[in-house]
Amino acid sequence: MNHADRSAGVWRGRQAWAAVVVIAVMLVWRALLMRDSYFNQDDFFITARATHEELTWAYLFEPIAGHVIPAQMLNFWMVGNLAPFRWGVVAAEAVVLQLIATVLMWHLLTRLLPGRWVRVLLLAVFAWTPLTLVTTLWWAAAIGLWPHLIFSILAMLLLTRAVQGAGRSWLNQLGCVLCLWAGLAWHERAVLIAPVLLALALALADDAAGWRRVPATLRRFAWLWVALAASLVTYLVVHTRITTVEGGTGSLTESLHITWEFIARNIVPGMLSGPWQAELQGGAVVPAHWVTAVSLVLAALILAVLLRRGGPARWWALLLVVGYVGSDLALVLAGRGGFGHLIGLDPRYSSDVPHIVVPAVALMLRQARPGLGLGLAALQTHRRRVLSIGVLTGVYLVGSAFGTAALVPHFQNVGDRDFVTTFRAELARDPNQVVWDALVPAELVLPLVGEDARLSAVFAPLPESPVFDEPSARLRLVDEEGRLHPVELDGSIPVPEGPAPDCGYAVTDATVRLPFVLPVSGRLLVSMGYFSNGESTVTVSAGDWSTSFLARPGPNEIWVPVPDLEEEIGALRLRADGGATVCVTRAAAGRPEIR
């Protein structure tokens, strides 16, 4: 076997070793960044919701914000029930998924550019681009992105094998269909796998020229296109029956603004290792103007060289990129257009683009002269071409380091980790504490999700088994940092002094009414002081609501959370069951605040 044959191998030769180094850098780099990140937003409330659900078909196909994602729902269920709040588990999952996608990309690049050192540079672009960083650090987004990329790249690899006559063609084509189905189980964006395969097949149709590639490709893989089309139609029919998507739409001017932001200030800098300097506004990454200008100039120069000196499939490869980016943009405009131009700067909606741009550049370089025929003396020898590829790879690594530094730690959710760590430590310090249920800070979960943003929903899976909104002498409020504090009432409405001398309201097995001086309404906290000479279970009720607590001997205080009954409450009803009389010496209702 000669040197060229060895270098053409997937895992043999110096190029393979260089690819291993690229993958190792990505693996260590992303693993360290994931180690220091944490759960955020959807991670919390969807996994918490899963802990209350049975693993049924209804649960798996339950729409989430318009998405039907059964494979992701299974993933949420497994984490919520088997590894709740274990960040190391989900971080490892995200890194392993990216590793699989990167290894598959190397296989695809080797098929497209056998024996070419430039495939190492292209692999580095895919592995290191900051464009995928934000989505990776957010676990719920990562398990939507990387499985889609895995099945999309695998489908491209299988189709390339079919075109090149590697293995049995029908098995490769069947694999493409199965990749589409598996991808759709993870995310609706997998509908783009089918048009990507068609564009790839057109670019690889070397036995036809010009537009004759279209009928040739359609005839050669006719059954594949029929199967893919039938799969998409079936999926879309089922999807529309299960759920509907209500996305905001903006004006034409706003849509054009989003388009500019999405392509020129999001995708282009990200693909070129940027942004190297940016302002971060929520989920939007706003690059500095010089970053946008430099990125656009570099992109224009690279594209001009590829289109002028690239191989015969260069225009078809460009069609692949334009079609995919246009489809991504259309999805953003249809589903998020009403959110304003900043939505175009959110890397979550462009993080799938690298897995198309990288193979597309490889397609442009197929059958092109070494050095792109530029006539540069420095690129006329193999050794100098390899050196130039190494230098460009090093430059991209440095650029990616600056691009990554601009995004970290803003997207690592450090505050979320600190809140949860503090909250769990406070619970462990006194397991008998009861927590007043409230919305978690918006940095963890936005209040837009309603009841799923409450402490009791988000933290139900904690191993510390926190208790919420039950009567307790140790009721606590959670502050913005996760610390627990004793409570007191703000603006309380009292109950008048009781009629029984030295007892106040004598609560026995006969119901006793405690009237407020003014009717109260809304979600309330009731404070009661009592004493008793024995234990007794006291039932507290108002309207159709009731709760109970264990009254203990001696003087005591109890805090009783009362839900919003959507009506005014004029009095509380109390009844004791246990034989001992419970003397309620004072009672008042109000809003809780930290003491």
Side-chain angles (χ1 to χ4, degrees):
M1 181 179 292
N2 59 36
H3 174 75
D5 291 333
R6 289 196 301 272
S7 65
V10 178
W11 299 113
R12 296 194 304 272
R14 287 178 295 176
Q15 294 178 18
W17 281 109
V20 170
V21 172
V22 169
I23 294 173
V25 170
M26 178 273 294
L27 188 63
V28 173
W29 197 0
R30 288 292 171 96
L32 292 175
L33 293 174
M34 286 298 292
R35 179 197 64 184
D36 297 331
S37 189
Y38 201 63
F39 298 105
N40 182 249
Q41 298 295 334
D42 298 17
D43 302 345
F44 286 116
F45 77 83
I46 295 181
T47 52
R49 183 188 297 178
T51 62
H52 305 296
E53 298 282 349
E54 296 290 333
L55 188 56
T56 62
W57 291 111
Y59 164 74
L60 293 177
F61 286 88
E62 177 187 359
I64 298 292
H67 299 293
V68 181
I69 45 177
Q72 286 193 53
M73 296 297 285
L74 176 61
N75 198 310
F76 286 129
W77 189 91
M78 293 178 66
V79 170
N81 287 275
L82 303 178
F85 284 89
R86 294 179 61 181
W87 175 249
V89 173
V90 301
E93 178 187 26
V95 173
V96 169
L97 288 173
Q98 182 174 0
L99 173 62
I100 295 171
T102 307
V103 169
L104 287 172
M105 180 58 74
W106 175 246
H107 277 264
L108 177 59
L109 292 173
T110 301
R111 281 276 167 192
L112 297 175
L113 298 170
R116 300 279 296 274
W117 273 97
V118 70
R119 60 187 169 136
V120 177
L121 172 59
L122 292 176
L123 181 70
V125 172
F126 177 77
W128 299 340
T129 173
L131 201 57
T132 62
L133 177 64
V134 173
T135 307
T136 303
L137 293 177
W138 186 355
W139 172 62
I143 63 170
L145 170 71
W146 290 109
H148 164 57
L149 266 56
I150 287 172
F151 293 118
S152 184
I153 297 169
L154 180 57
M156 286 190 282
L157 175 61
L158 291 170
L159 182 61
T160 304
R161 284 172 53 85
V163 171
Q164 296 177 348
R168 298 187 177 184
S169 180
W170 71 269
L171 279 177
N172 287 321
Q173 294 180 56
L174 176 61
C176 291
V177 176
L178 294 178
C179 285
L180 174 63
W181 293 354
L184 290 172
W186 283 94
H187 200 279
E188 296 94 339
R189 195 177 296 268
V191 297
L192 299 179
I193 290 177
V196 163
L197 292 179
L198 178 58
L200 176 64
L202 290 171
L204 291 173
D206 297 333
D207 54 348
W211 290 103
R212 287 191 292 274
R213 289 175 182 250
V214 176
T217 298
L218 293 177
R219 286 194 302 268
R220 182 175 181 182
F221 298 108
W223 288 111
L224 173 61
W225 311 131
V226 169
L228 293 176
S231 300
L232 288 180
V233 170
T234 302
Y235 173 79
L236 293 174
V237 169
V238 173
H239 189 278
T240 54
R241 289 182 178 272
I242 294 177
T243 186
T244 57
V245 179
E246 297 181 1
T249 55
S251 64
L252 176 60
T253 301
E254 189 68 23
S255 296
L256 292 175
H257 197 178
I258 293 173
T259 300
W260 165 258
E261 304 282 39
F262 186 73
I263 297 175
R265 308 191 70 198
N266 184 343
I267 293 176
V268 173
M271 288 303 309
L272 293 172
S273 78
W276 310 292
Q277 182 183 0
E279 178 186 354
L280 306 176
Q281 299 181 19
V285 179
V286 186
H289 291 299
W290 73 266
V291 172
T292 302
V294 170
S295 299
L296 289 175
V297 170
L298 287 175
L301 290 174
I302 294 171
L303 182 60
V305 171
L306 289 172
L307 291 180
R308 183 173 178 81
R309 300 290 184 175
R314 58 192 184 278
W315 289 102
W316 296 97
L318 179 62
L319 176 64
L320 169 60
V321 174
V322 171
Y324 194 91
V325 171
S327 299
D328 260 1
L329 176 61
L331 292 174
V332 171
L333 292 175
R336 297 290 187 269
F339 287 80
H341 71 95
L342 285 179
I343 202 67
L345 294 168
D346 194 328
R348 288 179 298 161
Y349 302 112
S350 59
S351 56
D352 58 327
V353 170
H355 94 286
I356 296 299
V357 172
V358 167
V361 173
L363 289 169
M364 292 181 179
L365 294 173
R366 282 180 73 245
Q367 303 175 355
R369 292 175 57 189
L372 290 173
L374 295 176
L376 300 177
L379 299 178
Q380 294 309 301
T381 67
H382 174 75
R383 184 182 299 275
R384 288 176 177 175
R385 286 197 298 271
V386 173
L387 179 61
S388 66
I389 293 295
V391 170
L392 289 175
T393 303
V395 170
Y396 195 86
L397 177 61
V398 173
S400 296
F402 280 98
T404 298
L407 302 176
V408 176
H410 180 81
F411 290 104
Q412 282 190 306
N413 309 315
V414 176
D416 297 9
R417 179 191 292 274
D418 292 343
F419 183 95
V420 175
T421 301
T422 301
F423 183 55
R424 295 183 66 175
E426 293 280 278
L427 292 172
R429 184 171 54 83
D430 182 1
N432 294 318
Q433 297 172 107
V434 172
V435 180
W436 171 261
D437 197 12
L439 293 175
V440 300
E443 289 76 13
L444 273 73
V445 180
L446 291 173
L448 299 175
V449 299
E451 293 300 307
D452 284 326
R454 303 195 75 83
L455 290 163
S456 58
V458 172
F459 295 114
L462 280 178
E464 289 79 9
S465 301
V467 177
F468 299 91
D469 275 10
E470 290 191 3
S472 174
R474 293 187 175 90
L475 189 71
R476 299 291 185 262
L477 281 178
V478 184
D479 66 13
E480 291 294 314
E481 297 179 354
R483 293 191 298 264
L484 298 179
H485 300 272
V487 298
E488 63 182 13
L489 294 181
D490 175 34
S492 61
I493 303 298
V495 168
E497 184 177 344
D502 299 326
C503 183
Y505 294 90
V507 181
T508 61
D509 56 0
T511 300
V512 175
R513 188 172 180 272
L514 277 66
F516 293 107
V517 295
L518 292 172
V520 294
S521 61
R523 187 162 178 258
L524 303 166
L525 180 61
V526 173
S527 170
M528 289 191 292
Y530 73 89
F531 65 87
S532 177
N533 60 359
E535 287 190 349
S536 184
T537 300
V538 177
T539 300
V540 182
S541 59
D544 296 330
W545 166 85
S546 67
T547 187
S548 61
F549 66 90
L550 181 64
R552 301 182 181 279
N556 291 283
E557 179 182 50
I558 192 75
W559 299 92
V560 182
V562 180
D564 186 356
L565 302 179
E566 298 183 352
E567 61 182 1
E568 288 189 336
I569 302 174
L572 294 176
R573 302 188 301 274
L574 274 67
R575 181 175 59 83
D577 182 13
T581 298
V582 178
C583 294
V584 178
T585 56
R586 62 172 180 81
R591 304 285 188 265
E593 65 176 9
I594 294 174
R595 182 184 300 172

